[in-house]
Amino acid sequence: MRAVLAPEALEAIVEVLRRRDWRVVAPTVRDKAIVYGEIASAAELPVGWKDVQAPGSYRLERRGDEARFGYAVGPQSWKRELLAPSVRLLQIERANGSFKVAKKAAETARTAFFGVRPCEVAAIKIQDRVLIGGPYADEDYLERRKNSFIIAVNCGEPAENCFCASMGTGPKAEDGYDLVLTEILDGSHRFLAEAGTDEGAELLAELPQQPAEEADTAAAEKVTDTARERMGITLDRSDVHELLLANLEHERYDDVAKRCLACTNCTLACPTCFCTTVDDANDLSGGAGERIREWDSCFTAQYSEMHGGGTRRSLQSRYRQWLIHKLATWNDQFDTQGCVGCGRCITWCPVGIDIREEVVAIRVTQEAKS
Amino acid sequence: MADLPTIAIWKFSSCDGCQLTLLDCEDELLGILGRVQIAYFPEATRAEIEGPWDVSLVEGSVTTPEEAERIKEIREKSGLVVAIGACATAGGIQALRNWANVKEFASIVYAHPEYLETLETSTPHSDHIDIDLELQGCPISKAQLVDALLAVLSGRRPNVPTSAVCVECKRRQTPCVQVLGTPCLGPVTQAGCGAICPSFARGCYGCFGPKETPNTVSLAKRWSEMGASEDQLLRAFRTFNGYKPAFREESARHGG
Ligand code: SF4
Ligand code: SF4
Ligand code: SF4
Ligand code: SF4
């Protein structure tokens, strides 16, 4: 099911969803960045804003038009809604000489993600595979995922660090959404809307709309084609798996270790990274305790610490672990790729380390060898 | 009562802020007091119990010959010694004297500097004795203090992260101020504060001191590219935890 929506119809989307008791979370401007937050009106979208990204740098600028989605992805990802930064897993209480274990009560609100970019749709699919795709599902994630509704938005204006075209995840979403919009700025400002599920079609049916003509479909196609061309291919993934595994010892890792702060920002900004730590705490009386799970990262020394010390003590080994997991061993482990090319790890690295450049540096010496 | 573990809280050269963190634990304080005997805590009680003590919390740095002796005695008579705060773990702000002439300071400040008996340096307790646990921070985090006390009382490991402030910053989903243009010490500073400053759009000041494996050279280089002067870099690394080796060495690279 397909239709053309006027910009005002976005307000109807928010209205209909809220009327049906969905919490609507969407991009919105806060703290000089485009973050995800609950909105009550489509007016809270970053209307007329764009982001200027570079390695280790992010700035908002005015666009000079009224585009609703004229920017790429920001510091946060939908991971914050699905694999929450901090979750209480268990509560334990002493009772009559024994103890009682209460699992966290399901308190997940039904949440509509409004404005999910194709790379993020792909990232959600990857986390689905990792966290609920095997025999032992992550209950908290599963609960939140079941209560989510995805309105994707295809990309017309990739940021400097976007490389979804290289990873085959964007700038157009192929599936994994309930409804997808493409914003067309050429000619009259309008959106091509396509339903991906029955729920998406139901929502679309309630919106004020025009039938989609061939010209509209062609215009939408042009939006994503232009975006794809603009990005080009900046990471060759065809042989990256072999390349990295053939170069486990490489001088480039010494070089990157001079720059890397092991600060964890890349992994915590990444929409597919899933590492967490679990801590137990007890209360003063010794009568109750709880188990909390929080975001963690393979970049900390503590993360790999076990009896006898840490296993990844050097910064070389930590960066290598991350790079190779993202681009190679992830595929072996989960049968999906680990990187969707959203560019967050590049933009939000405080010293601007660029995953694409690191691969190129390793490739150059490999090519020299052969 | 007699079976409860004894805790002594000792003050060295400091502002008392970290000890007061304990009194500030209003919700937890009564619970803690019910499970320990306070052997020495002049900020709160006049009662005193002779050593040996099960746990000694030590606040403040070593700046006088008397303090250098006293910490050895406390070590001998204590089961566990926990150093709390930037003074006790790094020498504190007063360690700025380590780059200056103390006699000159004294002659400016005191009418009769000849009565003063002071050391040339302000040093952390780890320079004098073995320490069992360090809680960094200026001041320390209340949550970490309570957790450490609970851990000691229940015989479990304390939860003290040694990773960067960035971990806490990302967990609270603050857009990174460094990437937005404000230099931040978070990537080399140990977590514990909850990343308060970035949440108010300020760069981290490094109150919690160096984290595990801090790459100060790389961060300083980035700050320079962002426009920070050598003097700014010197001051950033030589503040609350300036004498802690990682920050000490980095500040030395920027003059002084
Ligand atoms: S590795 Fe980087 S580019 Fe790839 S998905 Fe993660 S944050 Fe995005
Ligand atoms: S990486 Fe691709 S899909 Fe993601 S925001 Fe950039 S252009 Fe859009
Ligand atoms: S690559 Fe960048 S963001 Fe990642 S740990 Fe290193 S310095 Fe931090
Ligand atoms: S604002 Fe500072 S503490 Fe927070 S992520 Fe950025 S560099 Fe780290």
Side-chain angles (χ1 to χ4, degrees):
Chain A
M1 187 178 163
R2 219 173 242 187
V4 166
L5 309 178
E8 295 69 44
L10 300 189
E11 194 59 61
I13 294 182
V14 179
E15 238 173 66
V16 172
L17 287 169
R18 284 171 62 87
R19 202 180 331 119
R20 294 183 181 171
D21 279 334
W22 288 90
R23 186 178 148 247
V24 181
V25 177
T28 187
V29 175
R30 201 175 292 157
D31 301 337
K32 294 196 214 156
I34 294 172
V35 299
Y36 297 134
E38 187 169 356
I39 60 164
S41 154
E44 294 173 62
L45 291 170
V47 182
W49 287 102
K50 70 170 174 185
D51 47 4
V52 180
Q53 302 192 28
S57 169
Y58 179 100
R59 301 287 183 276
L60 285 188
E61 277 178 17
R62 279 281 170 199
R63 292 175 52 91
D65 64 16
E66 298 282 285
R68 306 302 199 265
F69 296 98
Y71 42 84
V73 291
Q76 306 175 344
S77 83
W78 298 99
K79 176 165 91 174
R80 59 172 281 156
E81 296 294 324
L82 293 169
L83 180 65
S86 178
V87 172
R88 186 197 284 146
L89 297 177
L90 296 176
Q91 251 181 314
I92 300 157
E93 260 169 56
R94 230 189 257 282
N96 314 324
S98 174
F99 61 89
K100 220 171 56 205
V101 178
K103 292 215 175 167
K104 172 191 155 287
E107 60 199 25
T108 315
R110 297 203 312 161
T111 305
F113 305 170
F114 185 14
V116 185
R117 298 299 184 168
C119 59
E120 307 186 285
V121 173
I124 292 171
K125 281 201 279 183
I126 292 171
Q127 288 216 322
D128 284 354
R129 163 67 193 90
V130 172
L131 296 166
I132 54 177
Y136 307 103
D138 180 318
E139 288 172 30
D140 190 73
Y141 181 96
L142 182 63
E143 188 62 29
R144 291 167 189 263
R145 188 69 181 86
K146 278 199 285 195
N147 281 308
S148 62
F149 183 86
I150 294 182
I151 303 177
V153 174
N154 289 326
C155 282
E157 306 207 22
E160 183 60 32
N161 295 331
C162 290
F163 61 103
C164 59
S166 303
M167 302 313 288
T169 54
K172 184 174 184 229
E174 301 299 342
D175 56 8
Y177 51 77
D178 293 290
L179 188 69
V180 64
L181 308 178
T182 308
E183 181 165 35
I184 303 167
L185 295 163
D186 202 13
S188 67
H189 188 187
R190 62 204 193 277
F191 293 83
L192 179 73
E194 296 162 274
T197 60
D198 293 346
E199 291 78 18
E202 255 174 63
L203 169 64
L204 185 53
E206 285 202 45
L207 305 176
Q209 56 184 275
Q210 300 285 320
E213 310 288 345
E214 220 164 275
D216 301 312
T217 329
E221 203 61 41
K222 197 173 143 212
V223 166
T224 48
D225 282 350
T226 313
R228 190 176 294 110
E229 269 163 44
R230 238 181 72 185
M231 259 182 288
I233 299 292
T234 50
L235 193 148
D236 175 4
R237 76 188 152 114
S238 63
D239 63 346
V240 72
H241 182 272
E242 296 74 42
L243 176 74
L244 294 179
L245 292 180
N247 288 282
L248 291 178
E249 300 295 338
H250 196 283
E251 65 211 19
R252 187 66 182 186
Y253 291 120
D254 299 332
D255 185 86
V256 78
K258 291 201 188 102
R259 290 172 279 136
C260 178
L261 307 165
C263 65
T264 77
N265 277 302
C266 47
T267 48
L268 301 185
C270 177
T272 66
C273 278
F274 52 78
C275 285
T276 51
T277 183
V278 174
D279 275 330
D280 289 343
N282 58 313
D283 79 344
L284 282 161
S285 64
E290 57 180 8
R291 175 163 288 181
I292 308 280
R293 182 181 74 192
E294 289 184 299
W295 282 0
D296 203 358
S297 166
C298 56
F299 273 94
T300 76
Q302 237 170 3
Y303 192 69
S304 69
E305 196 179 283
M306 54 181 101
H307 178 74
T311 54
R312 287 192 283 269
R313 295 181 202 199
S314 70
L315 299 185
Q316 279 89 330
S317 64
R318 283 182 239 163
Y319 190 85
R320 177 175 65 180
Q321 145 66 27
W322 180 71
L323 184 72
I324 296 184
H325 195 210
K326 289 267 97 156
L327 294 176
T329 47
W330 192 298
N331 301 57
D332 307 330
Q333 190 181 4
F334 301 115
D335 217 10
T336 75
Q337 63 196 60
C339 169
V340 297
C342 71
R344 284 190 184 85
C345 56
I346 307 168
T347 302
W348 298 98
C349 171
V351 291
I353 293 172
D354 186 335
I355 185 172
R356 298 167 299 183
E357 263 179 30
E358 301 311 315
V359 171
V360 167
I362 293 172
R363 189 183 298 283
V364 168
T365 59
Q366 176 77 8
E367 277 163 7
K369 265 191 266 172
S370 53
Chain B
M1 181 80 181
D3 296 342
L4 295 177
T6 50
I7 293 196
I9 293 117
W10 306 100
K11 176 184 161 60
F12 287 73
S13 296
S14 59
C15 75
D16 282 26
C18 290
Q19 292 190 52
L20 292 178
T21 304
L22 190 59
L23 292 182
D24 195 28
C25 298
E26 287 149 5
D27 297 340
E28 299 88 355
L29 193 62
L30 286 179
I32 294 173
L33 291 180
R35 295 194 55 197
V36 300
Q37 298 181 70
I38 298 290
Y40 184 74
F41 190 9
E43 284 278 8
T45 165
R46 266 191 250 166
E48 235 176 274
I49 302 172
E50 292 275 301
W53 309 282
D54 292 302
V55 182
S56 278
L57 297 184
V58 183
E59 177 204 76
S61 67
V62 176
T63 63
T64 67
E66 179 272 326
E67 286 179 334
E69 281 313 306
R70 184 150 58 94
I71 189 58
K72 290 198 187 107
E73 214 184 299
I74 290 171
R75 172 74 275 185
E76 270 167 29
K77 293 189 186 163
S78 306
L80 292 172
V81 177
V82 181
I84 59 169
C87 300
T89 61
I93 281 201
Q94 60 274 27
L96 287 172
R97 70 159 65 171
N98 302 1
W99 289 276
N101 187 329
V102 178
K103 288 210 179 77
E104 252 174 58
F105 280 156
S107 68
I108 296 167
V109 176
Y110 298 98
H112 288 285
E114 62 274 18
Y115 294 140
L116 221 58
E117 212 182 336
T118 188
L119 296 170
E120 290 289 315
T121 54
S122 167
T123 45
H125 295 284
S126 55
D127 281 8
H128 302 265
I129 59 161
D130 286 334
I131 297 285
D132 298 295
L133 177 66
E134 286 196 334
L135 296 182
Q136 297 182 188
C138 185
I140 51 168
S141 129
K142 187 172 124 174
Q144 281 193 356
L145 179 66
V146 171
D147 178 76
L149 290 174
L150 282 176
V152 167
L153 292 173
S154 6
R156 66 165 166 86
R157 209 171 112 140
N159 296 322
V160 183
T162 54
S163 47
V165 173
C166 303
V167 176
E168 295 181 324
C169 199
K170 278 280 175 290
R171 280 182 193 151
R172 64 191 284 175
Q173 291 281 278
T174 304
C176 174
V177 302
Q178 158 108 2
V179 170
L180 294 170
T182 303
C184 180
L185 279 181
V188 295
T189 302
Q190 182 158 304
C193 66
I196 302 170
C197 291
S199 79
F200 289 97
R202 307 293 298 259
C204 161
Y205 293 94
C207 308
F208 270 66
K211 68 164 181 116
E212 56 180 34
T213 63
N215 190 346
T216 55
V217 175
S218 173
L219 186 66
K221 182 165 172 281
R222 184 65 172 189
W223 276 38
S224 307
E225 289 162 9
M226 293 170 77
S229 66
E230 285 296 280
D231 189 52
Q232 268 174 296
L233 279 160
L234 172 71
R235 282 163 184 268
F237 284 102
R238 198 173 287 174
T239 308
F240 313 97
N241 292 277
Y243 205 59
K244 202 85 170 160
F247 284 6
R248 191 201 310 169
E249 287 154 23
E250 191 53 45
S251 72
R253 290 188 192 101
H254 304 281

